[in-house]
């Protein structure tokens, strides 16, 4: 008699999410004081601090591909643990910083740990999703990871803000110490409690067209260690990375552009920015699972990502139009426009991570996902320059350009519905013979 997949929660789910919450809390604590800590605890000038941090960050750029290859060879779990413990070591080194050299070393160690962690944690989530015997889709895992990260970083940011109000060197040292401890605890949680079982999901056969496309790309049949050759010939996946790079610019643009645009471009009071960002944070921390479940039942992952691009296009158009509205109407209008951004963010992250993980060949998934994460790195680098250069010319120009980038991402996504693997596009879950397939509705 066929064995039906269990509806019990996977044993590996809550330990990973607990570790991610601790990790996100530590990240939230760090971001507000990434430069202020050195400014208040050393005699180094701000320009030199900024230069050293930028150089150290640039030196970590090759790390993700090495981490991805390690995840393919040894599994993602030990690489995630390594990343968290290296981050902890970096923060403990922060406490010993006394000059430019020690600052450079501390930031470099912490940066390497962060790159290793973020380049492997999504592979670990995908491995756990593949071993999940409940039939839950990858979106279930990635949506909850998104919620936990948003909630943890928000809580950490608020805690850091409260502590920084003391303007005490002791408070800065305490926050860094807590940060180091939090990453240590997160690594120990993963080591002690997270277990990755054998995969129970399999990719279904492709159509003839898809098989021919894969053969033409020369991908998905490479042996372990040849991930870079497979990726360079896998044109559909490279197109996915390019499309997601466009979306990453949109995703990272809010926190860069909104405060300056609202206060300087529109002349709105400073107090408006805080509530707008708070609404976005609360929605991102509480609703991804609900929104992802609804969207997954009605469209493919490719169309979901394309829809996120349209949401960001509406956000950019509305932000530009705000220049034409009366001052009194701006707070309410900006809130309405912000909801377009939030909608795009809510549906993009679970779908994009799930699609990237499912479309990668199993033997090189770590390398593929590490390369996919570079799209967010590019977005983080490009957004500040893009906004500052364009805003200095005309206030509406950044929104016109980024809206065009969002449309470009949507245009790049739609052809992938027929070029990427069927199971990756649709998100349908397959289990081995002898088990009964669980539908999307049952998996939720």
């Amino acid at each position: 008699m066929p064995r039906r997949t269990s509806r019990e929660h996977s044993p590996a789910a809550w330990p990973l999410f607990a570790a991610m919450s601790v990790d996100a809390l530590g990240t939230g604590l760090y971001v507000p004081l990434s430069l202020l800590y050195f400014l208040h605890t050393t005699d180094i000038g701000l320009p030199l601090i900024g230069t050293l941090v930028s150089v150290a960050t640039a030196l970590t750029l090759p790390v993700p591909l090495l981490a991805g290859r390690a995840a393919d060879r040894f599994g993602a779990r030990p690489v995630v643990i390594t990343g968290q413990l290296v981050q902890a070591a970096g923060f403990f080194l922060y406490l010993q910083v006394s000059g430019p050299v020690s600052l450079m070393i501390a930031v470099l160690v912490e940066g390497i740990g962060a790159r290793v962690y973020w380049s492997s944690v999504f592979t670990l989530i995908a491995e756990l999703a593949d071993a999940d015997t409940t039939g839950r889709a990858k979106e279930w895992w990635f949506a909850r990871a998104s919620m936990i990260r948003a909630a943890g970083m928000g809580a950490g940011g608020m805690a850091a803000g409260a502590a920084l109000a003391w303007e005490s060197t002791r408070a800065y040292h305490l926050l860094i110490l807590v940060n180091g401890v939090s990453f240590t605890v997160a690594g120990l949680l993963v080591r002690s409690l997270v277990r990755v079982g054998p995969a129970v999901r399999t990719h279904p056969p492709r159509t003839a067209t898809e098989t021919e496309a894969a053969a033409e790309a020369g991908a998905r049949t490479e042996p372990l260690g040849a991930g870079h050759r497979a990726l360079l010939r896998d044109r559909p996946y490279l197109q996915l990375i390019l499309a997601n790079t466009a979306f990453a610019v949109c995703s990272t643009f809010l926190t860069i552009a909104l405060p300056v645009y609202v206060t300087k471009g529109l002349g709105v009071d400073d107090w408006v920015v805080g509530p707008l960002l708070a609404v976005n944070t609360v929605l991102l921390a509480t609703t991804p699972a609900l929104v992802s479940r609804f969207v997954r039942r009605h469209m493919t992952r490719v169309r979901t990502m394309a829809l996120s691009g349209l949401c960001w296009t509406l956000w950019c158009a509305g932000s530009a139009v705000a220049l034409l509205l009366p001052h009194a109407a701006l707070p309410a209008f900006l809130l309405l426009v912000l909801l377009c951004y939030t909608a795009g963010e809510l549906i993009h992250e679970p779908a994009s991570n799930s699609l990237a993980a499912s479309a990668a060949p199993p033997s090189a998934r770590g390398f593929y996902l590490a390369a996919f994460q570079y799209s967010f790195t590019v977005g983080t680098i490009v957004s500040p320059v893009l906004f500052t250069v364009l805003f200095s010319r005309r206030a509406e120009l950044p929104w016109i350009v980024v809206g065009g980038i969002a449309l470009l991402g949507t245009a790049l996504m739609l052809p992938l519905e027929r070029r990427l693997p069927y199971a990756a596009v649709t998100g349908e879950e397959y289990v081995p013979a002898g088990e009964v397939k669980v539908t999307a509705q049952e998996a939720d």
Side-chain angles (χ1 to χ4, degrees):
M1 180 178 178
R3 178 171 63 88
R4 187 173 183 82
T5 52
S6 169
R7 290 287 295 162
E8 297 294 326
H9 274 204
S10 169
W14 74 264
L16 175 66
F17 292 154
M20 289 189 71
S21 65
V22 175
D23 188 286
L25 181 66
T27 302
L29 284 170
Y30 167 68
V31 170
L33 51 84
S34 53
L35 295 180
L36 289 175
Y37 174 78
F38 298 119
L39 192 61
H40 283 79
T41 60
T42 70
D43 296 326
I44 308 172
L46 183 60
L48 182 55
I49 292 174
T51 300
L52 292 172
V53 170
S54 296
V55 170
T57 302
L59 290 174
T60 66
L61 288 177
V63 171
L65 295 179
L66 299 176
R69 189 177 297 281
D72 289 330
R73 183 171 297 276
F74 304 110
R77 178 175 165 271
V79 181
V80 168
I81 296 169
T82 300
Q84 290 173 319
L85 295 181
V86 171
Q87 284 183 89
F91 283 117
F92 290 136
L93 288 175
Y94 272 43
L95 299 173
Q96 308 301 320
V97 170
S98 58
V101 175
S102 55
L103 186 153
M104 182 78 170
I105 293 173
V107 174
L108 183 60
V109 171
E110 189 278 327
I112 289 173
R115 296 285 189 196
V116 169
Y117 173 76
W118 289 111
S119 301
S120 56
V121 69
F122 295 106
T123 305
L124 177 58
I125 294 172
E127 289 178 358
L128 293 171
D130 284 344
D132 187 350
T133 59
T134 68
R136 291 173 302 204
K138 285 184 174 67
E139 281 86 348
W140 187 95
W141 290 82
F142 285 114
R144 280 154 180 80
S146 175
M147 292 169 62
I148 290 167
R149 187 167 70 251
M153 291 185 66
M158 288 188 291
L164 293 179
W166 298 343
E167 295 186 355
S168 164
T169 300
R170 181 174 297 179
Y172 283 96
H173 285 307
L174 179 62
L175 285 174
I176 291 296
L177 179 62
V178 170
N179 229 350
V181 171
S182 72
F183 283 104
T184 303
V185 170
L188 294 177
L189 280 173
V190 175
R191 184 182 186 279
S192 302
L193 300 176
V194 175
R195 294 290 181 268
V196 181
V200 298
R201 318 265 176 113
T202 60
H203 291 295
R206 298 181 178 201
T207 66
T209 301
E210 290 167 337
T211 304
E212 292 167 2
E216 181 184 359
R220 312 186 189 284
T221 58
E222 295 282 353
L224 182 65
H228 65 285
R229 293 194 296 270
L231 179 59
L232 291 175
R233 291 198 296 266
D234 193 343
R235 285 177 289 183
Y237 204 92
L238 291 175
Q239 185 171 329
L240 173 63
I241 293 175
L242 182 60
N244 198 65
T245 301
F247 293 147
V249 172
C250 303
S251 178
T252 57
F253 206 66
L254 178 75
T255 53
I256 299 293
L258 185 69
V260 177
Y261 181 68
V262 168
T263 57
K264 305 299 183 184
L266 299 176
V268 178
D269 293 339
D270 292 354
W271 67 265
V272 174
V273 176
L276 288 175
L277 294 177
V279 168
N280 179 66
T281 299
V282 170
L283 290 175
L284 292 180
T286 57
T287 61
L290 178 64
V291 173
S292 175
R293 176 167 48 181
F294 175 81
V295 172
R296 187 165 59 87
R297 289 177 173 177
H298 293 86
M299 62 181 66
T300 65
R301 289 165 173 167
V302 167
R303 294 182 185 180
T304 300
M305 290 182 66
L307 179 60
S308 70
L310 294 179
C311 290
W312 283 322
T313 301
L314 288 175
W315 166 57
C316 290
S319 297
V321 169
L323 287 165
L324 306 176
L325 298 181
H327 193 272
L330 285 176
F333 181 77
L334 288 172
L335 176 61
L336 179 64
V337 169
L338 176 74
L339 294 178
C340 295
Y341 168 87
T342 305
E345 191 76 6
L346 285 170
I347 65 176
H348 170 263
E349 185 165 350
S352 64
N353 285 318
S354 299
L355 179 61
S358 297
S363 64
R365 181 160 60 184
F367 188 87
Y368 268 56
L369 288 183
F372 183 76
Q373 291 304 313
Y374 271 112
S375 60
F376 296 101
T377 302
V378 172
T380 303
I381 295 171
V382 168
S383 290
V385 177
L386 190 66
F387 175 74
T388 53
V389 171
L390 296 177
F391 183 75
S392 64
R393 295 177 179 272
R394 292 179 65 95
E396 71 275 13
L397 199 54
W399 305 107
I400 296 172
V401 172
V402 174
I405 292 173
L407 282 177
L408 174 62
T410 296
L412 288 170
M413 280 305 305
L414 291 175
L416 293 177
E417 189 154 38
R418 303 189 62 171
R419 299 188 66 197
L420 289 173
Y422 171 82
V425 170
T426 62
E428 291 185 8
E429 306 299 342
Y430 286 77
V431 294
E435 295 186 355
V436 176
K437 177 182 166 184
V438 178
T439 66
Q441 288 78 5
E442 292 174 320
D444 290 322

